[in-house]
Amino acid sequence: KAKKVRKNKRILGRSIEERPMGIDNREEFGHWEADLVIGRKSGKDQVLLTLIERKSRELLIFKIANRTARAVIDEFERLQNEYGEMFSRIFKTITTDNGSEFANLNEIEKFSNTLVYYAHPYSSWEKGTNERHNGLIRRFIPKGKRIDNYSIDDVIEIEDWCNQLPRKLLGYMTPDEIFNDELDKIYAA
């Protein structure tokens, strides 16, 4: 069987190697990982954009029209409008993979102070928190099932389940509790 040559994968932007080491210890709030959960690979199907905050493990799931770079950046612009001037304090950095759907993600650096980092090609372990949570989503939406078949309410229910699950590594607190505490600190400042 012929081997695939993977050394020519394009790097889209700032490498994860440039990311400050302090992000790895999860002590500071505001560092996110992003990915897409794809239902059916063939045909036109919606996809789920997943964002997870590294410290609190808060998961945000957005149902978007398709896996294009335009659909992803539109969702981030909508998110920026929702949080307004606090966006850059809540989303300090975003780490993602080199998929074509994230090709334009560094555009958010133009309208905010958020920095975007790209993991090495074929190194999904570099954003393992997001990959782990995508696995939790797969408990409810198995591979090969169309995302179109799931309503927004279904997606919100999955997000709530993940965010209300107490975690031993969080001192048996839920991601929602830690996330809301951090938001309170940001809005109080």
Side-chain angles (χ1 to χ4, degrees), residues 57 60 65 93 106 143 146 188:
R57 278 42 171 214
L60 303 178
T93 67
N106 51 11
K143 281 188 177 186
R146 292 186 61 84

Side-chain angles (χ1 to χ4, degrees), residues 37-52:
V37 174
I38 297 162
R40 253 212 171 152
K41 289 187 179 182
S42 62
K44 297 194 182 281
D45 188 17
Q46 293 179 319
V47 296
L48 299 177
L49 172 64
T50 61
L51 287 167
I52 184 153

Side-chain angles (χ1 to χ4, degrees), residues 55-134:
K55 179 180 179 182
S56 66
R57 278 42 171 214
E58 179 77 7
L59 175 66
L60 303 178
I61 306 174
F62 305 101
K63 194 172 176 183
I64 60 176
N66 52 45
R67 60 186 290 189
T68 62
R70 184 75 255 159
V72 170
I73 200 68
D74 286 346
E75 190 60 36
F76 274 99
E77 288 173 356
R78 188 198 63 72
L79 195 59
Q80 197 270 339
N81 289 334
E82 181 180 327
Y83 285 105
E85 62 186 35
M86 295 298 177
F87 180 81
S88 295
R89 293 181 67 195
I90 296 168
F91 295 88
K92 294 175 183 171
T93 67
I94 298 170
T95 303
T96 188
D97 58 35
N98 280 283
S100 61
E101 61 272 11
F102 297 113
N104 300 336
L105 190 58
N106 51 11
E107 284 182 20
I108 67 171
E109 294 179 359
K110 295 175 186 173
F111 60 80
S112 70
N113 293 329
T114 302
L115 297 176
V116 177
Y117 296 96
Y118 292 91
H120 293 104
Y122 311 104
S123 300
S124 59
W125 56 268
E126 292 180 330
K127 51 185 199 58
T129 305
N130 192 277
E131 296 295 333
R132 167 72 178 120
H133 282 77
N134 288 351

